[in-house]
């Protein structure tokens, strides 16, 4: 279930082959299509499918019938040797997700005090970043947190402005939207500069997580 299922087509629907063994082998006719259906987010080498070859001496095969192939070779319709079918599922990137809640807070400052020194994007948001869907044993690896895309800024002039440090000076965040998000690197400092006499909870700044894929 964690990797997926080998399936055969019975003429109207795809059927899981399911558990099989030498003593309880599942027969599949030569004309039946087979496939591997991966589980959600699985990638990498699929579990192998081991088969014995069957000749027509026993008559037509019924798809999905269970037979005992412990005795094989000789006058039986089953080959002594087996053939192993392998398959690979190519990885595609899975977007990161938010974990541990969807709210963070800047360090509080006093009313009409000097603006704070700022906090890095990483210190604020990295603990809420997850790329667990890309971590697949034997397949893809999780990507790292690389920053945020600011998609909404609720601050008004009467409340104050959010700022980021560009390495030389503090800059006001520009107007943003989901269609025109502003990207901040994980190491960038951000702060809220309150307007004169403003106090209370700073207005919301909404971001999407960015991975280094």
């Amino acid at each position: 279930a964690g990797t997926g299922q080998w399936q055969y087509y019975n003429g109207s629907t795809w059927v899981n082959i399911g558990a099989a063994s030498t003593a309880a082998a599942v027969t599949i006719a030569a004309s039946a299509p087979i496939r591997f259906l991966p589980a959600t987010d699985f990638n990498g080498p699929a579990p192998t499918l081991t088969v014995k070859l069957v000749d027509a001496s026993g008559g037509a095969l019924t798809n999905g019938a269970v037979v005992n192939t412990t005795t094989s070779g000789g006058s039986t319709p089953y080959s002594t040797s087996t053939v192993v079918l392998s398959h690979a599922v190519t990885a595609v990137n899975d977007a990161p997700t938010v974990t541990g809640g969807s709210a963070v807070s800047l360090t509080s400052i006093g009313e009409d005090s000097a603006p704070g020194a700022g906090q890095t994007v990483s210190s604020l948001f990295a603990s809420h970043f997850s790329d667990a869907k890309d971590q697949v044993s034997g397949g893809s690896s999780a990507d790292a947190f690389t920053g945020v895309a600011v998609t909404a800024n609720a601050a008004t002039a009467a409340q104050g402005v959010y700022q980021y440090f560009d390495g030389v000076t503090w800059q006001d965040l520009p107007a943003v939207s989901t269609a025109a998000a502003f990207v901040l690197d994980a190491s960038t400092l951000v702060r809220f500069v309150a307007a004169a006499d403003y106090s209370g909870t700073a207005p919301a700044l909404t971001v999407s997580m960015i991975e280094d894929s």
Side-chain angles (χ1 to χ4, degrees):
T3 55
Q5 293 281 351
W6 285 100
Q7 297 181 322
Y8 66 89
Y9 191 68
N10 68 3
S12 60
T13 189
W14 287 95
V15 181
N16 292 341
I17 293 175
S21 67
T22 304
V26 178
T27 60
I28 302 173
S31 60
I34 60 173
R35 70 180 185 182
F36 180 74
L37 179 65
T40 301
D41 298 324
F42 173 78
N43 62 78
T48 56
L49 188 72
T50 302
V51 306
K52 289 190 173 187
L53 305 181
V54 185
D55 66 25
S57 62
L61 289 182
T62 300
N63 286 327
V66 176
V67 297
N68 188 339
T69 63
T70 302
T71 301
S72 57
S75 61
T76 74
Y78 312 118
S79 65
T80 302
S81 300
T82 59
V83 179
V84 178
L85 177 62
S86 61
H87 183 56
V89 179
T90 303
V92 296
N93 185 62
D94 291 295
T97 58
V98 174
T99 187
S102 58
V104 297
S105 297
L106 287 162
T107 301
S108 298
I109 58 172
E111 180 183 347
D112 294 330
S113 63
Q119 293 167 255
T120 63
V121 167
S122 180
S123 69
L124 291 168
F125 300 106
S127 63
H128 293 265
F129 171 89
S130 173
D131 194 39
K133 287 185 176 182
D134 273 329
Q135 188 63 48
V136 179
S137 178
S140 60
S141 298
D143 295 303
F145 176 71
T146 193
V148 297
V150 183
T151 57
N153 181 359
T156 65
Q159 296 168 317
V161 294
Y162 278 101
Q163 295 183 328
Y164 69 96
F165 191 65
D166 67 3
V168 178
T169 187
W170 285 96
Q171 303 283 352
D172 292 351
L173 278 175
V176 295
S177 67
T178 52
F182 190 77
V183 173
L184 296 172
D185 182 83
S187 62
T188 301
L189 292 167
V190 295
R191 69 182 184 184
F192 180 72
V193 180
D197 300 325
Y198 177 78
S199 64
T201 302
L205 192 70
T206 305
V207 307
S208 291
M209 303 290 186
I210 304 176
E211 62 184 16
D212 64 354
S213 61

